[in-house]
Amino acid sequence: SQTIHQWPATLVQPVGSPLSLECTVEGTSNPNLYWYRQAAGRGLQLLFYSVGIGQISSEVPQNLSASRPQDRQFILSSKKLLLSDSGFYLCAWSVGLARNEQFFGPGTRLTVL
Amino acid sequence: AQSVTQLGSHVSVSEGALVLLRCNYSSSVPPYLFWYVQYPNQGLQLLLKYTSAATLVKGINGFEAEFKKSETSFHLTKPSAHMSDAAEYFCAVSGRNEKLTFGTGTRLTIIP
């Protein structure tokens, strides 16, 4: 069966510090991968998605970047965090086709102070 | 382009009462529609999905939703609310590509 992991589960970082969040998927090959941010009361915002190694599409211009160094690994990064980067970050995967649902990881709670 | 609107950011129902969470969609192509549930500090879990087969879709935990093209709606219902149903619920739509567009969510509170 397929599983998706995210770490760390929680993170408290000062403004201006770097960020690296990691997501890995097991039990499937060549998944589509997604990073979402969930801010309080604002639903889910798609940040990045990837259909293959090294292929990253950015949905919203921002202070963050994403990379996919391996087929089942997706990394969210920042060189300098802003207060507005605080939120709940969710990684998800799917297998092609629009009718197929996305499967979500447990999330990372990021607080920038 | 597609979008979803969830009417009511907060809904409260008594235990044992009917749960009705509203979702209206907009899509330029035949949509695929989803309902997800999120418990506090957890990821999203799929409740059910509509992919152009039967218009009445049954999901997990006793939930179901009906696709009504004429009303562009995909409301989520459950006949009898349970305390464990307290969570946030998200409606989502996708079109020709793999990306989902989510609504802003509805927080469901169950009153004992």
Side-chain angles (χ1 to χ4, degrees), chain B residues 55-74:
Chain B
T55 57
L56 181 62
V57 182
K58 294 186 183 299
I60 62 172
N61 301 339
F63 284 93
E64 63 181 37
E66 186 173 8
F67 173 70
K68 292 187 176 180
K69 184 178 179 180
S70 61
E71 299 177 8
T72 62
S73 69
F74 190 57

Side-chain angles (χ1 to χ4, degrees), chain A residues 7-8 10-14 16-22 35 37 47 63-65 75-82 85-86 89 108-112:
Chain A
W7 63 90
T10 60
L11 191 60
V12 180
Q13 292 284 93
S17 63
L19 173 73
S20 180
L21 302 182
E22 189 164 345
W35 277 113
R37 178 168 59 203
L47 303 176
N63 185 42
L64 302 169
S65 62
I75 297 172
L76 183 69
S77 304
S78 173
K79 293 182 179 179
K80 288 185 178 182
L81 284 169
L82 305 173
D85 291 325
S86 293
Y89 288 82
T108 295
R109 174 76 59 191
L110 172 64
T111 302
V112 182

